Amino acid sequence: MTNFQIDEKHLSQIPALQLLTGLGFEYLTTKEALRQRQGRRSNVLLEDILRGQLKEINSIRYKGSEFLFSEENIQSAIQKLKNIKYDGLLKTNEAIYDLITLGTALEQTIEGDSKSFTLNYVDWRNPDRNKFHVTVEYGVERSRSTETIRPDVVLFVNGIPFCVIECKSPHVDIEQAVSQSIRNQNDDHIPRLFIYCQMVLALNKNNAMYATTGTAAKFWTSWKEPGMKKGEREFEKLQAIVNKPLDKEVVTKISAAFGVQLELLEEKRLPTEQDKALFALCRPERLLELAWKFTVFDGGVRKIARYQQYFVVKSALARAKHFDVTGSRKGGIIWHTQGSGKSLTMVMLALNLALDPEISNPRIVLVTDRDDLDKQLRDTFT
């Protein structure tokens, strides 16, 4: 093992696991993860976890009573997700995105009546009802080969791989992690993992970049979370998680997996840029929110919000929901420079308005001053 590989594990992967378990992800060893996959590295879903969660978060309400989905329908839902036809990375990723965000209609007979009911793969509105797992060195078979490729860290929601992370030594340029992630998405590598993926990250101790499936290298970017200076609220919250003692069972698993000394897991430290990125992008409620409310497919290209778009949409949404003592609301202006993503911000704001349970049937009017912008918006909204 080279010095860079040692640094990568001790300075990036292990701290990432520490933080992610502190954020609520349950750590699975490589053996435990493989067991969930029925021992097949060609299978990227943690099927037993997925099956259990489909039962846990779904029920059928019918004529004032509550019923469970049949075992046959649970298995059918798993097969729909597992056996979706591969039609190129982005087309397949979009099809899976539609499936996990909209759910699937399944027919079931209840009290003699056969009807279709929607089964959901994720409880988007109630993050706590989902199960979050993390594992390392997640070996996946290459396309048309028995050779395996092992992404450094993979995050799962209800057994579905949601985020793939490449970790590097602080002495290695972060662009190498970006390049490695893009390469792994190619048809001759492990696209089967990335068709389920909602976000990809490239990390080292001093730098972090994020993107989504199919993003070209030039569009990978960093995230800036407010309140992340020492002494500010979010920083203090992060520091508490970074230095939160791990359960003994987790310490034992990580120690065995990496061959590290216990004291390396108990050192007090300040948050790094890697910690800040994981905290901002991967804490369970934010990971779900970015996938559900801040992701769009624009002309077949998948796009995820930049931090400016995310926070301005959150701010605009809060203002739209705020009434003063007279029952009136304030308006507002969102100012963007040319080429900074105005159309995507509009789409994401419209999506958030439509999905907010406190806003009933929002009316959205788009006014433009030229034909090319009309076409751009039509393409984006459709």
Side-chain angles (χ1 to χ4, degrees):
M1 186 179 293
T2 66
N3 288 336
F4 283 170
Q5 289 173 315
I6 293 171
D7 283 350
E8 179 180 300
K9 293 182 183 298
H10 286 262
L11 299 179
S12 187
Q13 279 184 292
I14 292 173
L17 283 179
Q18 285 180 269
L19 179 60
L20 289 164
T21 53
L23 290 172
F25 288 85
E26 181 181 342
Y27 173 56
L28 296 176
T29 66
T30 52
K31 287 184 179 179
E32 289 171 332
L34 188 58
R35 193 158 51 242
Q36 288 283 338
R37 303 157 71 188
Q38 286 72 54
R40 298 194 300 272
R41 289 182 172 83
S42 59
N43 180 19
V44 300
L45 298 172
L46 305 180
E47 284 192 40
D48 289 343
I49 293 171
L50 175 60
R51 180 175 290 103
Q53 281 301 107
L54 292 185
K55 295 177 182 180
E56 181 68 24
I57 67 174
N58 288 286
S59 62
I60 298 169
R61 296 189 182 278
Y62 182 71
K63 293 184 177 179
S65 298
E66 190 170 306
F67 301 86
L68 299 177
F69 277 94
S70 67
E71 289 292 336
E72 292 78 11
N73 272 335
I74 294 293
Q75 186 59 36
S76 176
I78 293 172
Q79 292 305 118
K80 275 191 177 184
L81 187 63
K82 182 180 177 181
N83 296 333
I84 198 159
K85 181 181 177 183
Y86 184 75
D87 187 23
L89 178 67
L90 282 170
K91 282 187 178 180
T92 313
N93 181 258
E94 184 172 5
I96 288 175
Y97 180 80
D98 289 342
L99 184 60
I100 65 173
T101 53
L102 301 175
T104 183
L106 298 169
E107 187 173 292
Q108 186 157 321
T109 301
I110 298 176
E111 298 179 344
D113 291 337
S114 293
K115 294 183 179 294
S116 288
F117 302 94
T118 299
L119 179 144
N120 295 303
Y121 293 91
V122 178
D123 189 335
W124 299 99
R125 296 190 183 277
N126 302 286
D128 290 345
R129 296 191 68 216
N130 303 289
K131 291 285 187 183
F132 300 87
H133 291 84
V134 57
T135 192
V136 296
E137 305 294 335
Y138 194 66
V140 180
E141 280 188 6
R142 288 184 63 170
S143 301
R144 300 174 294 279
S145 172
T146 57
E147 179 187 345
T148 60
I149 292 176
R150 298 179 299 171
D152 292 326
V153 180
V154 181
L155 307 183
F156 298 86
V157 178
N158 296 341
I160 304 168
F162 255 55
C163 182
V164 179
I165 303 170
E166 290 298 333
C167 300
K168 292 297 177 187
S169 160
H171 308 293
V172 175
D173 288 340
I174 200 72
E175 285 75 14
Q176 286 193 29
V178 172
S179 176
Q180 187 173 336
S181 179
I182 293 172
R183 181 206 65 189
N184 286 343
Q185 297 176 53
N186 291 341
D187 283 351
D188 59 345
H189 282 70
I190 52 172
R192 185 68 186 171
L193 175 63
F194 290 92
I195 59 175
Y196 296 97
C197 191
Q198 308 301 305
M199 190 188 304
V200 285
L201 272 72
L203 305 174
N204 67 28
K205 180 180 176 182
N206 303 318
N207 203 353
M209 301 183 78
Y210 78 101
T212 189
T213 301
T215 304
K218 65 181 179 179
F219 294 117
W220 284 60
T221 188
S222 58
W223 182 279
K224 294 181 181 179
E225 187 80 5
M228 274 297 170
K229 293 181 180 177
K230 191 172 181 180
E232 294 182 327
R233 188 170 68 105
E234 292 300 292
F235 182 91
E236 297 303 319
K237 189 188 301 182
L238 171 58
Q239 184 160 13
I241 296 171
V242 163
N243 292 299
K244 178 183 176 183
L246 298 177
D247 292 339
K248 289 183 179 180
E249 182 182 355
V250 176
V251 171
T252 301
K253 285 183 177 181
I254 296 176
S255 298
F258 289 92
V260 299
Q261 297 298 317
L262 184 62
E263 56 264 29
L264 286 175
L265 299 174
E266 295 179 340
E267 280 183 349
K268 299 294 182 183
R269 61 183 180 82
L270 290 172
T272 64
E273 292 304 310
Q274 170 177 296
D275 295 324
K276 293 176 183 178
L278 290 172
F279 175 74
L281 295 165
C282 296
R283 59 186 188 264
E285 64 277 12
R286 180 70 65 79
L287 180 63
L288 293 185
E289 186 181 33
L290 287 171
W292 189 36
K293 297 181 178 179
F294 291 91
T295 293
V296 299
F297 288 84
D298 181 10
V301 178
R302 181 173 180 142
K303 298 178 180 179
I304 192 168
R306 297 180 178 182
Y307 72 93
Q308 304 98 319
Q309 293 168 319
Y310 173 83
F311 288 112
V312 77
V313 167
K314 297 286 282 186
S315 178
L317 188 65
R319 175 166 287 205
K321 293 161 63 175
H322 178 73
F323 293 84
D324 63 22
V325 292
T326 67
S328 299
R329 289 185 294 202
K330 291 183 178 180
I333 295 174
I334 298 173
W335 184 86
H336 271 282
T337 57
Q338 185 174 356
S340 60
K342 294 185 291 294
S343 299
L344 290 179
T345 302
M346 290 184 211
V347 174
M348 290 170 186
L349 178 55
L351 179 60
N352 276 264
L353 288 166
L355 291 174
D356 196 294
E358 298 177 30
I359 300 176
S360 178
N361 298 320
R363 178 177 296 173
I364 299 164
V365 179
L366 301 178
V367 180
T368 66
D369 61 353
R370 55 191 186 276
D371 290 342
D372 60 337
L373 188 54
D374 280 344
K375 182 179 183 305
Q376 181 182 336
L377 286 172
R378 281 197 303 271
D379 292 345
T380 304
F381 271 90
T382 57

